[in-house]
């Protein structure tokens, strides 16, 4: 049983076939490249982020305040925050 009308021309069928094959190849290469980029990114360590406070010395009062905040945020005896 043949396809009626303009789609029965072998050139049209060939054109659609080539379009389908090229689309599949294009999508598969794009997905492979994306997966390879994710794998490469997962293998490399993260860059260290510079923070401005690293180059500014803290005053003793600021260090004390920071220590109090950190001690409150550290887990207590039951694993809860203090």
């Amino acid at each position: 049983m043949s396809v009626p009308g303009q789609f029965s021309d072998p050139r049209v069928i060939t054109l659609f076939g080539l379009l389908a094959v090229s689309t599949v190849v294009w999508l598969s290469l794009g997905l492979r490249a994306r997966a390879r980029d994710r794998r490469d990114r997962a293998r490399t360590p993260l860059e260290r982020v510079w923070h401005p406070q690293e180059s500014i010395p803290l005053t003793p009062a600021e260090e004390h305040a920071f220590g109090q905040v950190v001690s409150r945020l550290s887990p207590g005896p039951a694993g809860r925050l203090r």
Side-chain angles (χ1 to χ4, degrees):
M1 181 173 190
S2 66
V3 181
Q6 62 186 0
F7 295 109
S8 62
D9 188 1
R11 293 177 294 183
V12 174
I13 295 171
T14 304
L15 178 66
F16 281 133
L18 285 173
L19 182 63
V21 168
S22 64
T23 302
V24 168
V25 168
W26 178 71
L27 286 174
S28 65
L29 290 176
L31 290 175
R32 286 182 64 199
R34 179 185 283 181
R36 186 173 40 250
D37 287 345
R38 283 186 184 163
R39 269 195 318 268
D40 292 344
R41 231 180 287 132
R43 289 183 191 151
T44 58
L46 296 176
E47 282 187 36
R48 189 172 183 285
V49 178
W50 176 82
H51 194 276
Q53 288 182 346
E54 292 178 0
S55 59
I56 301 171
L58 298 177
T59 64
E62 289 172 331
E63 287 187 17
H64 178 70
F66 181 74
Q68 285 185 333
V69 170
V70 169
S71 68
R72 280 193 222 132
L73 294 177
S74 59
R80 297 183 179 148
L81 297 178
R82 294 181 200 173

